[in-house]
């Protein structure tokens, strides 16, 4: 593991570290662990990456609520993993923890998503157990048919190992301890084989007071001195402030039972009967992932907290207020600034990742919804539920802290030390560090070494993609297996076809030797420290162009023979099934090679185009598409109707990003990339023309139509 913590001035800190992390994620294949203290902007970075990267990605989290908040799915649901430990290579353990029979086959569509995945984003990584990460590794390697760690997929892991830790049941601990030094994600066997960098966001945006930050850092890093502890305990017994609106500082507790007791007592003291709001649950929405209470009981005077952001900016997740009145299903809340806010039910979607049939993009399909008033009774909440929130004033009841990181999470929720009231003195014994976390952090290497290697990482990623095009070994292996399956089938029934197939294999095998030599040439060019972009490296461009001229005719002939053989009838059902599977693998590999070589013949090509070629070939449906149609799909002008106007495309993408930030919804729900590209190609100037574009309906027009037509009109006028 390498470590990045760039040294810089305060004004430049955020931009430089963000840029460093962004470049690693977007322009290299190196996996990244993005960490940082509470309030440093980890969630902001997640939203930025998901809104701007061109890589195919999914966002996963260890719990249902965390997944909903991150706009993704749970790790278990995406990979269809059983809810029990994964204990690799331990045969002597009890049967219930031996996994092979408990891992069912994934649906074909899910396999396609996995096989075309560039980037796997895991939020709240500190709560992911080592065995779960190893189960993810096993699944990715299996379905991608790639034995590299995590099947060669780039990981972006976001979290803080010094905050909330993974949960291990008592009956599981004894078995896991035989396999792992600890349950933390960094002890995953797969992760230990993965070369990744750690990038730490440094600038704390939540707290500004240097003295308070010193205490927080000392608690986080388990180096709290007696002097700092005494300073913290000066906050014990202080009278909590009373806000003008009547709200009290929120109480942070270690256990649900304590929070429930405080809230019930406070609610009972209010006059009148409570109003009940029953959530409306439609479709598939598991109970453990409910983002709010299924039955919410409120009274006028109740202290509440908003539990999501409002697209219009009237409230945000963590905002406190007091119920003013309840009428006709509307809850009027007075916030701490004295504003009255009418609150009505909102909808949380439960979505699963699917492939868009037309564009081939990874998108989210809503399979269930949860509709409820976005409020929680909030005189008290647990420390666990407070993670990610910010308050001006808190009462901390952490005397019964039971988990590593709880005290730090509780303290770091508040903006200042003056805003904290301690229910009881903090004992040094409950601010304990974990030796495994300490050792993990100590393993970090010199940050300047890794930061300085970023340019080389970007070049290495590009050159690696070029070499990947000329990796013929898997195709040759598939071809040999195909001939073995067909031995005795084609020989008797289709002797001439069998001979052609054998000749095609010889052609591919001989070409593979030349390809190996050319891969060495690419490596030699890389060692000369020449640019990886073909536009800036004429020698590289010339060599790739020459390779295309040599390999394309050979690959074309092999493809034609294989496609001919794919249409031959085989009577034996079992043999037919096996032949089809291996033939699909072989043809996919040949398609990727063929269209990648064609890309090298273009005046301008880049790594993104090579990645698109690979994805489109993997997604191609051979039952429905001829080779000609697949070719057209791969080398498409990226917009139905003509060449994309790059200036308009960039403006549309910028607009989509702005709407994404404003509306706080996934970018694909605003407009699919394929629809955006069609607009940039066709430049519609009327409602009729805009509605004629595939993927843009009346609902989209109502929300965004006028804005889009205005951009198109402005672009046309400037032509």
């Amino acid at each position: 593991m390498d470590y990045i913590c760039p040294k810089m001035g305060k004004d430049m800190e955020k931009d430089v570290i963000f840029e460093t992390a962004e470049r690693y994620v977007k322009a290299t294949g190196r996996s990244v662990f993005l960490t940082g203290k509470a309030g440093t902007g980890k969630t902001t970075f997640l939203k930025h990456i998901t809104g701007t990267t061109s890589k195919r990605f999914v966002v996963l989290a260890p719990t249902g609520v965390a997944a909903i908040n991150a706009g993704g799915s749970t790790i278990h649901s995406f990979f269809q993993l059983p809810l029990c430990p994964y204990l690799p290579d331990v045969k002597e353990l009890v049967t219930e923890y031996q996994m092979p029979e408990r891992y069912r086959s994934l649906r074909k569509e899910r396999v396609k998503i996995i096989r075309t995945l560039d980037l796997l984003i895991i939020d709240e990584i500190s709560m992911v157990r080592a065995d779960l990460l190893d189960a993810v590794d096993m699944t990715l390697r299996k379905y991608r048919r790639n034995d590299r760690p995590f099947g060669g997929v780039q990981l972006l892991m976001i979290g803080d190992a010094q905050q909330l830790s993974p949960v291990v049941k008592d009956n599981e601990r004894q078995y896991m301890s035989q396999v792992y030094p600890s349950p933390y994600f960094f002890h995953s066997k797969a992760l230990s084989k993965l070369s990744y960098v750690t990038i730490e966001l440094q600038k704390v945006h939540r707290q500004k007071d240097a003295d308070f930050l010193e205490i927080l850092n000392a608690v986080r890093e388990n180096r709290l001195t007696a002097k700092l502890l005494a300073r913290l305990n000066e906050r014990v017994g202080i009278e909590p402030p009373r806000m003008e609106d009547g709200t009290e500082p929120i109480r942070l507790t270690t256990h649900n039972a304590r929070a429930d007791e405080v809230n019930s007592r406070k609610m009972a003291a209010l006059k009148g009967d409570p109003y009940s709001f029953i959530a409306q649950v439609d479709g598939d929405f598991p109970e453990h992932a409910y983002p709010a209470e299924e039955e919410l009981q409120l009274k006028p005077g109740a202290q509440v907290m908003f539990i999501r952001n409002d697209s219009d900016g009237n409230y945000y997740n963590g905002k406190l207020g007091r119920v003013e009145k309840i009428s006709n299903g509307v809850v009027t809340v007075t916030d701490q600034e004295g504003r009255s806010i009418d609150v009505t039910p909102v909808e949380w979607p439960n979505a699963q990742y699917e492939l868009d049939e037309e564009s081939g993009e990874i998108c989210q399909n809503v399979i269930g919804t949860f509709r409820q008033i976005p409020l929680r009774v909030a005189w008290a909440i647990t420390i666990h539920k407070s993670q990610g929130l910010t308050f001006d004033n808190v009462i901390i009841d952490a005397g019964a802290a039971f988990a590593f990181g709880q005290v730090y999470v509780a303290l770091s929720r508040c903006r200042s030390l003056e805003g904290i009231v301690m229910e009881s003195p903090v004992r040094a014994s409950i601010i304990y560090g974990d030796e495994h976390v300490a050792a993990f952090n100590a393993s970090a290497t010199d940050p300047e070494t890794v930061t300085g290697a970023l340019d080389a990482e970007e070049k290495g990623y590009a050159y690696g993609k070029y070499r990947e095009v000329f990796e013929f070994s898997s195709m040759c292996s598939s071809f040999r297996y195909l001939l073995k399956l067909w031995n005795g089938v084609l020989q008797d029934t289709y002797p001439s076809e069998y001979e052609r197939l054998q000749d095609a294999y010889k052609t591919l095998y001989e070409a593979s030797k030349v390809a190996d030599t050319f891969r060495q040439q690419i490596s030699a060019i890389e060692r000369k420290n020449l640019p990886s972009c073909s536009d800036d490296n004429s020698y590289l461009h010339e060599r790739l162009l020459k390779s295309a001229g040599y390999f394309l005719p050979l690959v074309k002939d092999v493809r034609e023979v294989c496609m001919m053989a794919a249409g031959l009838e085989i009577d034996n059902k079992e043999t037919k099934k096996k032949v089809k599977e291996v033939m699909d693998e072989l043809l996919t590999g040949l398609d990727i090679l063929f269209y990648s070589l064609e890309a090298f013949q273009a005046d301008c090509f880049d790594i993104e185009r090579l990645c698109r070629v690979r994805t489109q070939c993997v997604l191609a449906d051979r039952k429905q598409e001829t080779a000609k149609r697949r070719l057209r799909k791969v080398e498409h002008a990226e917009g139905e109707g003509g060449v994309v106007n790059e200036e308009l495309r960039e403006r549309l993408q910028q607009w989509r990003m702005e709407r994404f930030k404003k509306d706080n919804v996934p970018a694909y729900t605003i407009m699919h990339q394929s629809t955006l590209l069609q607009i940039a190609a066709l430049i519609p100037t009327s409602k009729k023309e805009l509605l004629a574009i595939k993927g843009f309906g009346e609902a989209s027009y109502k929300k965004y139509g006028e804005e889009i037509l205005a951009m198109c009109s402005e672009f046309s006028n400037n032509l």
Side-chain angles (χ1 to χ4, degrees), residues 59 208 231 239 257 324 540 602:
V59 180
K208 305 297 183 184
R231 179 80 176 91
E239 186 69 24
E324 181 181 326
L540 173 64

Side-chain angles (χ1 to χ4, degrees), residues 182-198:
S182 84
Y184 289 104
F185 75 96
F186 49 76
H187 278 147
S188 152
K189 294 183 178 297
L191 200 63
S192 68
K193 301 174 183 177
L194 182 70
S195 177
Y196 66 98
V197 297
T198 294

Side-chain angles (χ1 to χ4, degrees), residues 502-518:
Q502 286 183 311
D503 290 341
Y505 169 71
K506 292 176 183 176
T507 299
L508 184 65
Y509 179 72
E510 292 300 320
S512 72
K513 297 179 182 179
V514 181
D516 288 342
T517 301
F518 188 72

Side-chain angles (χ1 to χ4, degrees), residues 556-580:
K556 183 179 180 182
D557 290 343
V558 173
R559 283 176 73 244
E560 287 179 356
V561 173
C562 291
M563 292 177 69
M564 171 277 302
L568 299 177
E569 289 295 326
I570 300 175
D571 293 333
N572 187 289
K573 289 184 178 180
E574 187 66 25
T575 302
K576 185 177 182 178
K577 181 181 178 183
K578 291 180 179 179
V579 166
K580 182 184 181 305

Side-chain angles (χ1 to χ4, degrees), residues 453-559:
L454 181 52
D455 288 343
E457 287 278 354
E458 290 180 336
K459 286 183 183 178
Y461 175 68
Y463 277 107
K465 289 295 182 183
Y466 297 141
R467 281 191 295 270
E468 194 176 281
V469 173
F470 301 95
E471 176 55 71
F472 288 13
S473 59
S474 61
M475 286 186 294
C476 288
S477 179
S478 296
F479 215 141
R480 284 194 298 271
Y481 184 52
L482 181 69
L483 290 172
K484 182 180 178 181
L485 286 173
W486 250 333
N487 187 26
V489 178
L490 281 182
Q491 276 182 312
D492 299 332
T493 312
Y494 306 105
S496 62
E497 287 82 355
Y498 185 64
E499 186 176 345
R500 288 181 64 191
L501 206 60
Q502 286 183 311
D503 290 341
Y505 169 71
K506 292 176 183 176
T507 299
L508 184 65
Y509 179 72
E510 292 300 320
S512 72
K513 297 179 182 179
V514 181
D516 288 342
T517 301
F518 188 72
R519 291 172 71 234
Q520 294 173 14
Q521 291 183 22
I522 294 175
S523 296
I525 297 172
E526 182 182 6
R527 287 193 295 271
K528 292 179 180 179
N529 202 29
L530 296 173
S532 58
C533 176
S534 64
D535 288 348
D536 303 324
N537 188 341
S538 59
Y539 181 62
L540 173 64
H541 195 159
E542 183 268 329
R543 296 307 301 162
L544 292 173
L545 186 63
K546 189 172 181 179
S547 74
Y550 175 81
F551 286 109
L552 266 173
L554 302 177
V555 176
K556 183 179 180 182
D557 290 343
V558 173
R559 283 176 73 244

Side-chain angles (χ1 to χ4, degrees), residues 49 96 135 150 157 172 205 330 584 613 618 661 687 690:
I49 288 296
E96 65 181 296
F150 300 96
M157 302 169 285
E172 299 171 345
H205 304 281
V330 178
D584 281 351
V613 165
V618 171
K661 292 178 179 178
K687 178 180 179 180
L690 187 56

Side-chain angles (χ1 to χ4, degrees), residues 592-609:
I592 293 171
L593 175 58
F594 185 86
Y595 298 127
S596 297
L597 292 169
E598 282 208 331
F600 292 152
Q601 293 185 317
D603 292 334
C604 181
F605 65 90
D606 53 26
I607 300 304
E608 285 188 15
R609 182 168 182 177

